[in-house]
Amino acid sequence: MKKNQKYLIFQVLFVLTVHLGQPTYSHAQSKSTPIVNAAFEGKVVDQVNGNPIVGATVKLQGVTHSVQTDSHGNFQFITGQKLPATVIVSFLGYQSQTVEITSPKSIIKLLPTASNLDEVVVIGYGTTKKQDVVGAITKINAGEVNKIPVASFDAQLQGKAAGLQVVANSGVPGEGIFVRVRGTTSINSSSDPLYIIDGVFLNNTSLQNANLGGRTTSPLADINPADIESIEVLKDASATAIYGSRGANGVVIVTTKQGSYGAKTKIDFNLSNGFVQADKSTLPHLASGPETAALANEWWINSGIDKPSLNQNFSNRPFRPVNEGGRGLPEEQQTYDRLDFILRNGRVQDYSLGIQGGGNKSRYYIGTGYTDQEAFFKVIDFSRANFKFNFDQQLNERIKIGITSNIARTKRNQARTGDGPQVSLWNSAVSSATYTATHDQEGVATGSDNTYVLVDNYDVNTLSLRYIGSVFAEADILPGLKFRSSFSADYNKYDENQYWNTNTSIGKANNGQATSGISENTTWINEQTLNYQKQFNSVHKITALVGNTLQHNTLNYLYAEGNGFANNSYKLISSASTRTSSQDWTAYSIASFFGRAGYQYSDKYFAEATLRADASSKFGKNNRWGYFPAFALAWRLKQEDFLKDVNWLNDLKIRTSYGITGNQSGISNFASRGLWSGGSSYADVIGSPLPGIGPQQLGNDDLKWETTAQYNVGFDAELFKNRLSITLDVYDKYTSNILLQQPIKTSSGFSQYWANVGEVSNKGYELTINSVNIQNQNFTWKSSFNISGNKNKIEKLPTQITQYTRDWVILKEGQSLNSFWLYEQLAVDPKTGNAIFDGQLEDGTVPVSARKIMHNAYPKFYGGLNNSFSYKSFDLSAALSYQFGNYTLNLERYFRERNPTSGGVFENVLNRWQNDGDITDVPRLTSIGNNYTIDQNSRYLEDASFVRLKQLSIGYTLPKSFLSKARISNARIYFLGSNLFLWTKYTGDPESNVTSNPNAQGLGSFGTPPQPRSFQLGFNLTL
């Protein structure tokens, strides 16, 4: 991206943001028809307060003739029709009205529709009106995002909510997604939000154990996005404290579709088909065969000049005439494009059927779906089949029961991507030198990890069977007092199988290898709640909630491996000559009590207090219980007398909250306990080993909860008859007692133990602007813009921690998490071509003391811009997502720019220094000195800011007159494109990351497929 493009993007975002605050009205009146049979005029006013309505549309029924009211609410019609005439009057924020005009003058009164403030928002253990919300909560309409062709719904949320950062680390369907709500709060424990679906706490920890090069799969991919009705993101302590030990990282509440009481059956059918393909702007660009060979010769000769003892010179360069013992001259080499071979147009198809309805005392929803997604490169694909059933039954006037359940079967054909060269499918297509032949003269593929060999011999499969569901009963004990009891379960059986035949490097080394791993994760939760609501004298309203939770989680893992097979036709472990197996089991339990009390006065003043107590089996007996309180206040200024008559202001509310939440994720289930392990065999005098036990872990009875204290201030405003809404939040989060493994003297018999050390802070802001820019009878334009900024800092950490190979990432007191620890390359000397480093000594050496922290993986700000348009039966929507200020260490460049003799080389190396006076940042090619031997070189650190056109859709809804004949309620045809454009300076996909390790983010591209583009045609039908 050119340098000035970044500033152009900023200007576009700024102009659009300013424009959102300027609702557009049209006051022009249509001219009369030539034939005049009647003339009438009138005024449109608000039925509640009598104020004139400006810009209301008055349309003559049966024709296209319409006018709009002027600045005083007046309109005039001159028409060829005779009185009486029927007009349809409409305006945003009011109920449309059909009126018969019988006299030349009339006054038409419109009744306001339900305000946005009456929208129902899901909160912890209940719902409330938007106007009564005291916490920081963002509601996302699932219908706006669930058509994006990704396997898990969390990936669809990118750019949709302020404070919610979503990063897709690779282009493999069904892989884990990096999600953060208001920053990273922990070092070792998980910082993923809590996911709740229909009241069921989901297990969001991947059960994958197979080595996939540092990648993990997403458990959320078992959920069909088509079944989701709405998603609420709970962000501040007031909203999340009711979940206590689960709320430190935010809460994502998912509500699936329900039927309606007394409603006729409604059937929705959705299908879409299309394909995904590589975004060529993000693919690795390798030098050709002749170019790579020439670079290899140059590297060889320069290294020999720098160190004569290597005996590397022009006469023995690798690419010299064959009759001289070489591989041929560089210009005689061919170019073999493995990447082009592995790419494909992967098919994407999705089908879903939903049936919902209800009688006087029951309601139901039945959903079923099938998704099949091929990756844009060969071998990998993902498929999911699911069945969803929700049912509520009112047994009598006071008792209701219900069930929610989801069964999914998810299948993955997988391949190793990410780090590690062995049998890495994507890496094999990039790391091989382009001059190296893929097949010998007889047409046989050469090399055990040749891309062609791997494509034909990959056998890595995973099958997941998952049930998520609950049953509940509700009883109205007294007016306003409701009791609810529920039992929910999340069961996942995850079956992994691999077979490496003797054509692959793993199989060749073991004469064939087969592995099988079966994980079974079971979580059950029993909850009871007592909810009370009461209003007094129309101005006082109190709410109260008390409840308890019992939760238990069990994980079983069984692993078997077989090596040595008679031939490649045998794949079962039972056929192996050598068989080994292992088994693991772990469990934990949580007991919780919680309560919430709220008070409202005259819909103006709000106060709320929450307290939750959690006891976890993970912690020491001295600190098993954690207590998590929260307090919140809100003031609706619009209800005050001094603002009631301000017509352009519909609502204004100020909120503030403070609370404490906890975290226990990321540590082992028995972290606080001293453990002994079996399998410690010892030698018998006869020679046969005898079974024994030995110490495994040092205990800590004082181990306790991580705690995050959060302060939040925010305001919400609705303006111009709800055409413009603004929400702004500022927060400060501070996490203490971070759970880490502390090193101890080995004389104790142990090297480390679990302890509470370290503190982390997150400070930031969130701004959301929604507007209806234009709305008239035929055309509507709506916009939504959000921007968030977060600053992360490690406040206390006794010992710095380095992450990942070569310690590229460091965790150090006073710095952000995921900071880069590098030697800064300042320039390349134009005279010598040698890299110049900050802190370099006169003799050319670079001491360790010169290494410093440079940038981090977190963006300074991020968000999204969404626009939707409708014109008559046509609709169009476009969604942008963006991040700015984040950096990524491009590991693909690190490996592909160092040694031209060891594999593929990036085209960028062609810009290396060659002659005195060359100005470049790519040093002279050599294996000697600092140019390419310093692994932690800032030359590979790139600005990974980006703007991405995440979604573009165009749809057409068939006319009702046509559909009614076939008894069809609605039918829509649409085209959807995803990831169509990317603006970035980064070399590759700026969201890519080589590992799923959350503490090693910002290590990009190496062996990692980028996100693909997708194109789909779809059809929605409602009966």
Side-chain angles (χ1 to χ4, degrees), residues 226-227 257-260 263-271 351-358 364-368 960 963 966-972 1019-1023:
D227 291 328
K257 296 175 181 178
Q258 303 279 351
S260 299
K264 65 177 183 179
T265 300
K266 175 185 174 183
I267 301 175
D268 289 308
F269 176 67
N270 304 288
L271 67 87
Y351 309 91
S352 64
L353 176 67
I355 304 172
Q356 57 184 306
Y364 62 88
Y365 171 78
I366 301 172
T368 184
K960 298 288 185 182
L963 298 175
R967 297 183 179 181
I968 298 174
S969 299
N970 188 71
R972 176 176 176 265
F1019 180 66
N1020 308 136
L1021 180 68
T1022 302
L1023 301 177

Side-chain angles (χ1 to χ4, degrees), residues 17 72 141 188 205 298 342 395 419 504 525 545 587 625 662 705 722 726 803 846 884 972 999:
T17 304
H72 301 289
N141 181 4
N188 185 79
T205 302
E298 185 177 328
I342 203 174
L395 298 181
D419 205 352
T504 66
I525 299 176
L545 169 74
W625 284 93
W705 299 86
N722 300 319
I726 303 173
Q803 294 282 344
V846 183
F884 281 92
R972 176 176 176 265
N999 291 323

Side-chain angles (χ1 to χ4, degrees), residues 461-644:
N461 299 283
T462 300
L463 180 63
S464 172
L465 294 174
R466 190 162 189 187
Y467 171 81
I468 301 170
S470 68
V471 293
F472 72 88
E474 287 183 355
D476 294 325
I477 301 174
L478 296 171
L481 182 63
K482 179 179 294 185
F483 173 77
R484 178 185 173 101
S485 180
S486 66
F487 183 89
S488 61
D490 180 359
Y491 172 79
N492 192 358
K493 182 179 180 182
Y494 195 81
D495 190 353
E496 303 170 292
N497 290 280
Q498 300 184 67
Y499 181 73
W500 303 105
N501 66 30
T502 54
N503 295 312
T504 66
S505 60
I506 294 178
K508 184 176 294 185
N510 296 280
N511 198 24
Q513 182 183 90
T515 66
S516 175
I518 299 177
S519 301
E520 281 189 316
N521 188 88
T522 304
T523 300
W524 62 258
I525 299 176
N526 176 234
E527 289 188 318
Q528 282 69 231
T529 59
L530 198 60
N531 203 323
Y532 180 70
Q533 296 187 26
K534 182 68 175 179
Q535 188 161 349
F536 304 92
N537 302 324
S538 300
V539 294
H540 303 281
K541 182 179 179 181
I542 62 171
T543 60
L545 169 74
V546 294
N548 82 292
T549 298
L550 297 174
Q551 176 181 342
H552 183 74
N553 176 273
T554 303
L555 175 63
N556 290 287
Y557 178 61
L558 182 63
Y559 175 81
E561 178 180 314
N563 290 286
F565 290 83
N567 57 57
N568 289 330
S569 297
Y570 295 91
K571 296 183 178 182
L572 297 180
I573 294 175
S574 58
S575 300
S577 60
T578 303
R579 298 182 292 272
T580 58
S581 63
S582 64
Q583 184 177 17
D584 289 307
W585 174 92
T586 186
Y588 73 89
S589 298
I590 298 178
S592 308
F593 298 92
F594 53 87
R596 180 175 60 212
Y599 171 73
Q600 299 179 20
Y601 175 75
S602 192
D603 284 337
K604 288 192 292 187
Y605 311 113
F606 303 80
E608 188 175 273
T610 304
L611 176 64
R612 179 162 178 141
D614 287 313
S616 172
S617 62
K618 291 186 177 184
F619 294 112
K621 60 183 180 181
N622 298 335
N623 293 294
R624 189 152 291 160
W625 284 93
Y627 302 93
F628 310 106
F631 310 91
L633 298 171
W635 178 22
R636 287 186 68 201
L637 283 77
K638 172 60 179 176
Q639 298 300 99
E640 299 290 353
D641 292 338
F642 59 85
L643 286 179
K644 274 190 175 181

Side-chain angles (χ1 to χ4, degrees), residues 255-498:
T255 304
T256 60
K257 296 175 181 178
Q258 303 279 351
S260 299
Y261 293 107
K264 65 177 183 179
T265 300
K266 175 185 174 183
I267 301 175
D268 289 308
F269 176 67
N270 304 288
L271 67 87
S272 64
N273 270 270
F275 63 92
V276 296
Q277 63 178 204
D279 179 354
K280 294 185 178 180
S281 69
T282 62
L283 292 177
H285 295 282
L286 299 174
S288 67
E291 290 170 338
T292 304
L295 292 171
N297 276 351
E298 185 177 328
W299 178 89
W300 178 274
I301 296 170
N302 286 346
S303 299
I305 294 173
D306 295 339
K307 189 176 182 180
S309 62
L310 292 176
N311 192 29
Q312 295 178 190
N313 51 58
F314 179 84
S315 63
N316 64 5
R317 68 197 187 281
F319 291 92
R320 59 188 188 275
V322 176
N323 59 12
E324 296 180 11
R327 302 178 61 175
L329 294 171
E331 58 269 23
E332 297 173 346
Q333 306 304 309
Q334 296 186 41
T335 299
Y336 299 91
D337 192 344
R338 294 167 173 80
L339 191 58
D340 183 67
F341 162 73
I342 203 174
L343 297 179
R344 68 180 177 184
N345 284 341
R347 184 179 178 185
V348 176
Q349 51 185 327
D350 185 83
Y351 309 91
S352 64
L353 176 67
I355 304 172
Q356 57 184 306
N360 293 331
K361 293 186 177 182
S362 63
R363 62 175 181 172
Y364 62 88
Y365 171 78
I366 301 172
T368 184
Y370 176 74
T371 296
D372 189 5
Q373 298 181 13
E374 292 180 338
F376 69 96
F377 60 103
K378 294 173 182 176
V379 175
I380 291 181
D381 62 47
F382 169 94
S383 64
R384 177 188 60 235
N386 80 290
F387 176 79
K388 177 73 176 174
F389 179 60
N390 293 339
F391 180 77
D392 294 352
Q393 176 68 47
Q394 195 80 38
L395 298 181
N396 53 43
E397 294 180 355
R398 299 174 62 183
I399 300 177
K400 180 173 73 173
I401 60 174
I403 183 173
T404 174
S405 61
N406 183 80
I407 301 173
R409 180 185 184 275
T410 305
K411 187 178 184 301
R412 294 174 171 90
N413 288 338
Q414 297 173 289
R416 289 191 185 184
T417 58
D419 205 352
Q422 193 176 39
V423 295
S424 176
L425 187 63
W426 185 260
N427 227 1
S428 71
V430 178
S431 63
S432 298
T434 53
Y435 55 69
T436 303
T438 59
H439 297 76
D440 60 22
Q441 294 180 351
E442 297 179 357
V444 178
T446 57
S448 59
D449 282 344
N450 181 306
T451 305
Y452 290 79
V453 173
L454 291 180
V455 166
D456 291 336
N457 294 279
Y458 241 91
D459 192 352
V460 181
N461 299 283
T462 300
L463 180 63
S464 172
L465 294 174
R466 190 162 189 187
Y467 171 81
I468 301 170
S470 68
V471 293
F472 72 88
E474 287 183 355
D476 294 325
I477 301 174
L478 296 171
L481 182 63
K482 179 179 294 185
F483 173 77
R484 178 185 173 101
S485 180
S486 66
F487 183 89
S488 61
D490 180 359
Y491 172 79
N492 192 358
K493 182 179 180 182
Y494 195 81
D495 190 353
E496 303 170 292
N497 290 280
Q498 300 184 67

